[in-house]
Amino acid sequence: MPQCRRMPERGGRLKCYSLHLGILPLTVLVLVFFCFVCLSLRSQEWGHPGAVNRKAYPQPRVLTPTRTDVLVLTPWLAPIIWEGTFDIDTLNEQFRLRNTTIGLTVFAVKKYVVFLKLFLETAEQHFMVGHKVIYYVFTDRPADVPQVPLGAGRRLVVLTVRNYTRWQDVSMHRMEVISHFSEQRFRHEVDYLVCADVDMKFRDHVGVEILSALFGTLHPGFYRSRRESFTYERRPQSQAYIPWDQGDFYYMGAFFGGSVVEVHHLTKACHQAMVEDQANGIEAVWHDESHLNKYLLYHKPTKVLSPEYMWDQQLLGWPSIMKKLRYVAVPKNHQAIRN
């Protein structure tokens, strides 16, 4: 109800004030608060980036490390990923909130196409389960790519590439191809790239715990060795040259990756180094893997994967330090496949 009083300084005219003018700001504040609460609750239901993971999990204990039998941190503070060093439920929630898409590149050239079916089938069982995945299959035989049922949010893209007479050339040209497609296509379609060999199979969980700006995988044959034993390229004439008194780890060329930007930098640098070597009439001892190791020595990976993520049980057995074997070699006759 309006209230009026006489204003003597203005000729005795009446001036009215309404209680509604005082109530209106309070009403607006109440409505704003109510809308904020509703949106916050709805954002959690929709998986909004601001949503909070309320799933219960064991509290990390500062004085109780999860693994004491292996190195879990590099001198440059990159984690080394072993079973027991991560909580996959927490990581899955974080990457789902980011709506992450992962690209998996694989080359099935010439006879190597025979490994593709098992590779894809086991990837569907163990690789990035519950996340969006694009399989990028590079092959010279697109008609031979098998039809493998894929889960929701997962698809396969076949990209045709040429073959080469020597398997070494097929291996080395992977860097050129991945570099090209990272710049032209991958950066528009995925957030992370994982680059893998096809003559392998996924045996256990391989998930978002591996994802980082740049990751490499410890070679199963050298994870116990001193740097003097690493099969780096030791000839100074090669762009892959690493002196005897340098080196952190020996990384496997069959499993590496990271963000699309970082993978592009890595593969472009390795390709350019191989082109320069070719012009100088030299080929690194382990081809693209030698150049990968040179790059990761001077561009430190932000995560390092333990040999759980690259293993050959036929050659190395199953030591107790390996709690899981995740990505393993398929028994094969190398000579027959390569020739």
Side-chain angles (χ1 to χ4, degrees):
M1 175 179 179
Q3 291 183 347
C4 302
R5 66 185 179 92
R6 190 172 299 279
M7 303 294 290
E9 71 276 11
R10 297 196 178 181
R13 290 178 298 171
L14 292 176
K15 186 170 183 180
C16 298
Y17 295 87
S18 175
L19 289 175
H20 296 304
L21 294 178
I23 295 173
L24 183 60
L26 180 61
T27 304
V28 171
L29 286 174
V30 170
L31 287 173
V32 169
F33 177 76
F34 178 76
C35 291
F36 174 78
V37 171
C38 289
L39 288 173
S40 297
L41 292 173
R42 184 65 58 86
S43 71
Q44 293 182 25
E45 294 174 4
W46 289 347
H48 188 274
V52 178
N53 175 20
R54 302 185 185 279
K55 182 180 178 63
Y57 58 90
Q59 178 191 350
R61 308 298 296 177
V62 174
L63 301 181
T64 309
T66 55
R67 293 287 295 263
T68 58
D69 54 339
V70 292
L71 184 67
V72 298
L73 195 68
T74 69
W76 59 93
L77 301 182
I80 304 177
I81 310 303
W82 301 84
E83 175 65 14
T85 62
F86 59 90
D87 184 284
I88 192 57
D89 292 331
T90 301
L91 288 170
N92 276 334
E93 181 68 17
Q94 294 302 306
F95 279 92
R96 287 194 188 106
L97 292 176
R98 302 175 201 169
N99 199 28
T100 304
T101 301
I102 304 101
L104 177 58
T105 70
V106 63
F107 285 72
V109 178
K110 300 168 75 172
K111 293 181 180 179
Y112 279 84
V113 75
V114 302
F115 297 107
L116 192 55
K117 187 174 187 293
L118 180 62
F119 176 90
L120 293 172
E121 288 176 342
T122 57
E124 278 298 287
Q125 296 170 16
H126 302 296
F127 181 77
M128 302 292 168
V129 175
H131 297 275
K132 293 188 293 185
V133 172
I134 302 177
Y135 298 107
Y136 295 108
V137 175
F138 294 95
T139 183
D140 60 333
R141 302 179 181 183
D144 293 338
V145 174
Q147 298 294 317
V148 174
L150 303 180
R154 303 164 78 94
R155 60 190 179 96
L156 184 146
V157 176
V158 178
L159 300 166
T160 303
V161 293
R162 61 166 292 188
N163 63 39
Y164 294 86
T165 303
R166 299 191 316 143
W167 68 266
Q168 294 94 332
D169 292 321
V170 173
S171 179
M172 288 190 291
H173 277 278
R174 289 188 308 171
M175 293 295 189
E176 177 185 13
V177 172
I178 294 172
S179 171
H180 171 77
F181 277 91
S182 293
E183 185 174 24
Q184 299 298 319
R185 178 170 185 165
F186 297 157
R187 66 189 183 95
H188 303 295
E189 298 182 348
V190 299
D191 303 296
Y192 294 92
L193 279 175
V194 178
C195 307
D197 275 8
V198 71
D199 54 342
M200 308 282 292
K201 68 177 181 179
F202 294 90
R203 177 174 175 157
D204 210 318
H205 165 89
V206 176
V208 294
E209 76 279 357
I210 74 173
L211 298 180
S212 187
L214 182 64
F215 73 81
T217 306
L218 298 182
H219 194 295
F222 294 103
Y223 71 100
R224 296 177 179 269
S225 303
R226 299 180 63 84
R227 60 165 62 125
E228 295 83 7
S229 302
F230 295 164
T231 53
Y232 290 153
E233 174 54 66
R234 302 298 189 180
R235 294 170 295 175
Q237 298 84 356
S238 172
Q239 295 298 307
Y241 168 66
I242 297 176
W244 290 94
D245 61 347
Q246 294 185 28
D248 304 309
F249 307 109
Y250 191 89
Y251 300 98
M252 190 82 172
F255 204 65
F256 65 92
S259 69
V260 178
V261 170
E262 289 298 331
V263 171
H264 176 243
H265 290 162
L266 181 154
T267 52
K268 182 179 181 181
C270 289
H271 170 61
Q272 290 175 341
M274 287 185 282
V275 169
E276 190 166 344
D277 270 5
Q278 187 177 35
N280 293 328
I282 191 169
E283 185 173 283
V285 59
W286 286 109
H287 321 107
D288 53 322
E289 185 173 88
S290 296
H291 291 278
L292 173 75
N293 273 276
K294 174 68 174 287
Y295 185 90
L296 293 180
L297 174 59
Y298 298 113
H299 305 81
K300 304 295 190 191
T302 51
K303 270 187 185 177
V304 175
L305 307 187
S306 71
E308 294 174 2
Y309 294 87
M310 176 56 57
W311 195 256
D312 189 329
Q313 190 174 1
Q314 190 176 32
L315 290 177
L316 302 169
W318 191 338
S320 59
I321 201 171
M322 300 296 168
K323 308 301 182 185
K324 290 190 175 182
L325 303 182
R326 304 175 186 276
Y327 187 53
V328 299
V330 175
K332 67 188 79 65
N333 182 329
H334 285 281
Q335 199 66 22
I337 291 293
R338 289 172 176 172
N339 296 329

